[in-house]
Amino acid sequence: MAVGRFAPSPTGPLHLGSLRTALLAWLFARSAGSAFLLRVEDLDLVAARPEIEASHRTDLAELGLDWDGEVIRQSSRRPVYDEAIDRLVAAGRTYPCFCTRREIADAAAAPHGEHPDGAYPGTCRGLTPTEVEDRLAAGRPAALRLRAEGARVAAVDRLHGAVAMVVDDFVVRRNDGVPAYNLAVVVDDAAQGVEEVVRGDDLLPTTPRQVLLTRLLELPPVTYAHVPLVLGPDGRRLAKRHGSVTLDDLRVDGLTGADVCGLLAASVGLAEPGRPVRPADLLDRFDPDRLPRRPWIFEGARPPA
Ligand code: GLU
């Protein structure tokens, strides 16, 4: 049993890549007889997008996916994230950072050993209290970074095996006061009792940061399964420019929710191509160990004959 979840950001309609991740996350949880939860990751959106959120729910339901309990929205949970950040501050694990994106990009262009691309080079780590005060007095907004102390963190992924990374000093609160994605996700997964995180493998590189935060906040550990993305024929991540990629587009092309579910199931070897299926039909044959490890190149859906 491993409680699972799907946590889309309501930035736009779900496309085949996110729908495929949702189907797989649902299959991981439901095939183990576990609860499956839905979370709206709207923390960093300037304005609420109720119509997009609603379209996510309608699309998931049309595909045949269900979820348990209340849907939580990150935008209503700021105090919970602030409390977690306060605990890190009290433990001396944070420092204010005044770097602009530009400064970080310039500094990070220098070689930095084991750190992944885009890792923070530590510029503000050693600022004295006076230097911090001077910058604040000059009106520079401060982000808050975690003092990772060069921790080398290993995570085990169901599909990728062991992933180890030296964690950089990453942001836990942005300089506009918004809690950072890595922090919110870890706090929410714990609060919702999530035990297995199934999501797109574009998030694999940030996972060791989340493992470190889970430990520092003394939250229960979770297991991970990062599933491959869907790419367009040009090898780039699936997007609108690739044609019919949302349920709405595909409906216009004559496909039902069950046809799209069939298409997605066929892409992971769970169904014959061209047949409509419902997620529940796939439960018996779902085997995480047999999932493809490579991205699916989507060349377009053929309407049913
Ligand atoms: N909200 C993230 C996204 O839409 C997913 C976060 C996660 O699953 O941890 O890409």
Side-chain angles (χ1 to χ4, degrees), residues 249-262:
D249 301 334
L250 293 161
R251 196 179 298 116
V252 172
D253 293 348
L255 278 79
T256 64
D259 293 326
V260 175
C261 186

Side-chain angles (χ1 to χ4, degrees), residues 39-226:
R39 178 166 79 230
V40 178
E41 301 216 320
D42 58 349
L43 201 53
D44 57 1
L45 298 189
V46 181
R49 313 272 306 268
E51 66 301 334
I52 304 252
E53 272 183 51
S55 81
H56 286 187
R57 293 179 209 209
T58 318
D59 286 359
L60 294 174
E62 190 171 334
L63 209 62
L65 303 179
D66 62 347
W67 54 91
D68 300 300
E70 212 191 317
V71 176
I72 74 164
R73 303 174 74 238
Q74 290 191 326
S75 55
S76 64
R77 292 173 47 76
R78 283 286 284 271
V80 188
Y81 310 129
D82 288 340
E83 187 272 334
I85 294 170
D86 288 348
R87 281 205 279 142
L88 296 170
V89 173
R93 291 299 299 232
T94 62
Y95 61 86
C97 169
F98 300 89
C99 292
T100 60
R101 270 175 206 275
R102 185 59 208 254
E103 286 162 349
I104 296 171
D106 288 350
H112 41 261
E114 273 193 285
H115 284 308
D117 283 350
Y120 182 64
T123 321
C124 289
R125 190 186 299 136
L127 291 181
T128 63
T130 323
E131 287 170 328
V132 169
E133 266 166 45
D134 288 350
R135 283 165 175 73
L136 289 173
R140 285 191 80 164
L144 206 58
R145 284 189 185 269
L146 187 86
R147 241 175 235 289
E149 295 176 351
R152 186 178 173 81
V153 176
V156 179
D157 184 276
R158 290 268 287 255
L159 304 183
H160 295 260
V163 188
M165 188 176 105
V166 176
V167 177
D168 67 338
D169 288 356
F170 59 94
V171 170
V172 291
R173 188 163 58 214
R174 302 181 344 188
N175 70 7
D176 59 2
V178 176
Y181 155 73
N182 283 310
L183 182 109
V185 134
V186 157
V187 168
D188 285 343
D189 283 334
Q192 291 190 285
V194 168
E195 294 163 312
E196 182 151 67
V197 169
V198 179
R199 60 187 175 196
D201 64 12
D202 52 330
L203 291 168
L204 187 62
T206 203
T207 300
R209 297 184 180 119
Q210 297 180 11
V211 173
L212 180 60
L213 271 181
T214 303
R215 284 188 202 150
L216 292 175
L217 292 168
E218 298 177 338
L219 301 172
V222 296
T223 57
Y224 295 93
H226 286 88

